[in-house]
Amino acid sequence: MPLSKNKIKYIHSLEQKKTRKEERNFLAEGPKLVDDLLGHFPCHYLAATNEWLNEHSSIIADEIAVVTTEELSRASLLKTPQQVLAIFEQAKHNIELEKAQRSLSLALDDIQDPGNLGTIIRLADWFGIEQIFCSPGTVDVYNPKTIQATMGAIARVKVHYIPLPDLIASLRGIPVYGTFLDGEDLYQKPLSEAGLIVMGNEGNGISKEVENLVSHHLYIPNYPQKRQTSESLNVAIATAVVCAEFRRQMIIPKQL
Amino acid sequence: MPLSKNKIKYIHSLEQKKTRKEERNFLAEGPKLVDDLLGHFPCHYLAATNEWLNEHSSIIADEIAVVTTEELSRASLLKTPQQVLAIFEQAKHNIELEKAQRSLSLALDDIQDPGNLGTIIRLADWFGIEQIFCSPGTVDVYNPKTIQATMGAIARVKVHYIPLPDLIASLRGIPVYGTFLDGEDLYQKPLSEAGLIVMGNEGNGISKEVENLVSHHLYIPNYPQKRQTSESLNVAIATAVVCAEFRRQMIIPKQL
């Protein structure tokens, strides 16, 4: 069955947060990503080239359409459409507070860029961080740009939306880390195995309200050290450097 | 003088690499970025709101236009235009081989995403890496998305295009690092103070030809370690983790 105009319109409507919220659906494109998500999220619709479908004989989806590359281009949100796109149902995860109390988690305070959020989910997966807590003002995790940037990690990392002060109150007792330009050198501090790492908004950093709840102020040393510059790091980059150091200290704990 | 249709057309044409190359110009938008670039690159044209111009009385540019926010929106390539945009002349840097032989540099082997390149330039600035060598197949550094993502770091980091095998031949003798899934644990190796760190293409990694010239194969440990997954790290994220570790070892050299 070829792609109807209505279907294409529906696919494009999933660029809008409002529609995604009403429909509880999201869009994913490309073989690697769709492969990773199938089996983790119910698939309501899948459109793929004959070639792709021949290699995937046991797909479970409510509706499957064989499409030409040209039809796929019309439906796709990508510059370079790739063989397959699919509509999945959004996950409903419960917050696992006990797990958060005995492991490392991330909290994102109003991250705005969908690519940054996706990249952070991908690196959380690499560093074995299972839960990410987003302030309600953080960009929607089901934004197609976020989903694409996760490269499939969204199937493994659980993302929750919750006011961060409420979360921190529930986690009472665990260390809360944040990065600040006047914080203490990340490499000079022993880091805990369980804790919450808060990362702030791209332009404004961590909000005042959340900053008051941060127990450990960290600083990523630049080089040469502490030179005066106007520069800063992209939030996903800063998250990666901090998470890598937490994990390095867990792997090589006695050397610090 | 308001923005003419021709001027808007010219600004938009700078999205095309071909035009940028012919004109040897590039576009930058927003107060932070334009502030950082003024003084570092000759400014041929600047369009700004009255408010911005009142705060910047000593701008040197071949042509300055006072524009309304509405006019700026029509000219801007950004979703949210911000007070000022400017056209600068591209820099002509000579490669500093001696500096590359006694410090840390980056080599990018066909990075495709303009945002990734910009983010890498920004983090290089943070970590005091003064030269980045790009393979001829790497995305153009003057792509507007790259320039925006550098957040001004393009004023401080020098970016050169050169076939990487030629570069490595000229640098004969310095260690050449690359990241590979079967490389050695980054944290278990003493890293040198001078060297070239090669980062590969988003989909295909480091090309075979360049891989043969890499003297040290590194691996960024995931967590829990060496678990079987299909995941990987975004190239800008991997670059950050590697550069941070090189700098950590320079700051705390005796502890490894």
Side-chain angles (χ1 to χ4, degrees):
Chain A
M1 194 179 65
L3 272 170
S4 68
K5 273 192 187 166
N6 271 345
K7 188 60 89 179
I8 292 177
K9 203 171 152 191
Y10 181 73
I11 290 167
H12 289 179
S13 76
L14 293 174
E15 267 197 297
Q16 307 306 318
K17 183 176 176 182
K18 189 167 165 285
T19 315
R20 291 196 300 272
K21 211 175 161 184
E22 284 164 10
E23 299 284 322
R24 298 204 51 78
N25 281 344
F26 70 95
L27 181 72
E29 301 195 54
K32 159 83 174 72
L33 181 59
V34 171
D35 268 359
D36 272 12
L37 303 193
L38 283 165
H40 280 92
F41 299 89
C43 183
H44 291 316
Y45 177 80
L46 186 142
T49 59
N50 224 331
E51 198 186 355
W52 189 89
L53 283 165
N54 283 338
E55 288 169 9
H56 297 76
S57 48
S58 56
I59 297 297
I60 297 173
D62 297 346
E63 188 184 343
I64 297 177
V66 189
V67 294
T68 62
T69 314
E70 204 267 315
E71 283 174 317
L72 204 62
S73 313
R74 266 184 285 140
S76 173
L77 302 180
L78 302 181
K79 270 191 197 164
T80 322
Q82 298 172 312
Q83 298 174 63
V84 57
L85 64 76
I87 297 172
F88 293 98
E89 188 174 308
Q90 297 184 9
K92 269 201 153 179
H93 304 301
N94 291 321
I95 291 182
E96 297 177 76
L97 269 186
E98 276 183 32
K99 183 176 271 179
Q101 272 158 336
R102 54 183 166 73
S103 62
L104 208 58
S105 309
L106 280 170
L108 307 180
D109 194 11
D110 286 11
I111 300 287
Q112 290 307 294
D113 183 82
N116 280 342
L117 177 57
T119 303
I120 290 171
I121 294 168
R122 185 174 173 193
L123 75 89
D125 188 27
W126 185 266
F127 289 116
I129 290 169
E130 296 179 38
Q131 293 189 94
I132 298 179
F133 301 97
C134 297
S135 66
T138 298
V139 61
D140 181 30
V141 63
Y142 294 110
N143 182 305
K145 286 184 190 155
T146 302
I147 294 293
Q148 294 301 126
T150 70
M151 291 288 281
I154 189 67
R156 294 174 291 271
V157 176
K158 293 184 179 67
V159 179
H160 311 285
Y161 285 78
I162 179 175
L164 300 184
D166 296 357
L167 171 74
I168 294 169
S170 327
L171 291 175
R172 200 176 343 206
I174 76 161
V176 179
Y177 297 90
T179 54
F180 298 87
L181 286 175
D182 60 354
E184 283 181 83
D185 186 336
L186 173 69
Y187 301 126
Q188 306 287 357
K189 278 186 82 96
L191 304 169
S192 58
E193 296 198 10
L196 186 70
I197 302 168
V198 184
M199 301 302 300
N201 169 272
E202 287 87 349
N204 306 316
I206 297 174
S207 62
K208 269 284 160 231
E209 192 186 2
V210 174
E211 181 179 342
N212 290 335
L213 303 169
V214 170
S215 55
H216 297 70
H217 290 226
L218 301 176
Y219 172 75
I220 298 172
N222 59 0
Y223 188 92
Q225 283 187 277
K226 297 272 183 194
R227 71 182 185 283
Q228 292 295 322
T229 63
S230 61
E231 83 236 42
S232 63
L233 285 169
N234 163 285
V235 63
I237 296 294
T239 309
V241 174
V242 172
C243 292
E245 180 60 13
F246 270 86
R247 292 322 195 188
R248 188 188 69 83
Q249 291 198 17
M250 286 184 71
I251 297 168
I252 317 175
K254 294 294 161 230
Q255 303 197 350
L256 194 111
Chain B
M1 195 179 65
L3 271 170
S4 69
K5 272 192 189 167
N6 271 345
K7 189 59 89 179
I8 292 178
K9 203 170 151 191
Y10 181 72
I11 290 168
H12 290 180
S13 76
L14 293 175
E15 267 196 297
Q16 307 305 320
K17 183 177 174 182
K18 189 169 165 284
T19 315
R20 290 195 300 272
K21 212 176 160 183
E22 284 164 9
E23 300 283 324
R24 297 203 54 79
N25 280 344
F26 69 96
L27 182 71
E29 301 196 52
K32 160 83 173 72
L33 181 58
V34 171
D35 268 357
D36 272 11
L37 303 194
L38 284 166
H40 281 91
F41 299 89
C43 182
H44 292 314
Y45 177 80
L46 185 142
T49 59
N50 223 330
E51 198 186 355
W52 188 89
L53 283 166
N54 284 339
E55 288 168 8
H56 297 76
S57 47
S58 56
I59 297 298
I60 297 173
D62 296 345
E63 187 185 343
I64 297 176
V66 189
V67 295
T68 63
T69 315
E70 205 266 315
E71 283 175 316
L72 202 63
S73 314
R74 266 185 284 140
S76 174
L77 302 180
L78 302 182
K79 270 191 196 164
T80 322
Q82 297 170 312
Q83 299 175 63
V84 56
L85 66 75
I87 297 172
F88 293 98
E89 189 174 309
Q90 297 184 10
K92 268 200 153 182
H93 304 302
N94 291 322
I95 292 182
E96 297 177 75
L97 269 187
E98 274 185 34
K99 183 176 271 179
Q101 273 159 334
R102 53 183 166 73
S103 63
L104 208 59
S105 309
L106 280 169
L108 307 181
D109 193 9
D110 284 11
I111 300 287
Q112 291 307 294
D113 183 84
N116 280 342
L117 177 57
T119 304
I120 290 172
I121 294 168
R122 185 174 173 192
L123 75 90
D125 188 27
W126 185 264
F127 289 117
I129 290 168
E130 295 178 39
Q131 292 189 95
I132 299 180
F133 301 96
C134 298
S135 67
T138 298
V139 62
D140 180 31
V141 62
Y142 294 110
N143 183 304
K145 286 183 188 154
T146 302
I147 294 293
Q148 294 303 124
T150 69
M151 292 289 281
I154 188 65
R156 295 174 290 271
V157 176
K158 294 185 177 65
V159 179
H160 311 285
Y161 286 77
I162 179 175
L164 299 185
D166 296 356
L167 171 75
I168 295 169
S170 328
L171 292 175
R172 201 175 343 204
I174 76 162
V176 180
Y177 297 90
T179 56
F180 298 89
L181 286 175
D182 60 355
E184 283 181 83
D185 185 336
L186 173 69
Y187 302 125
Q188 305 287 355
K189 279 187 81 96
L191 305 169
S192 58
E193 296 198 9
L196 186 69
I197 303 169
V198 184
M199 303 301 301
N201 169 271
E202 287 87 349
N204 307 316
I206 296 174
S207 62
K208 269 284 159 232
E209 193 187 1
V210 174
E211 181 179 342
N212 290 334
L213 303 169
V214 170
S215 55
H216 296 72
H217 290 227
L218 301 176
Y219 172 76
I220 298 171
N222 61 0
Y223 189 92
Q225 283 188 277
K226 296 274 182 193
R227 71 184 186 282
Q228 292 296 321
T229 61
S230 61
E231 83 236 42
S232 63
L233 285 170
N234 163 284
V235 63
I237 296 293
T239 308
V241 173
V242 172
C243 291
E245 180 60 12
F246 270 85
R247 291 321 193 187
R248 188 189 69 83
Q249 290 197 18
M250 286 184 70
I251 298 168
I252 316 176
K254 295 294 161 229
Q255 302 197 353
L256 195 113

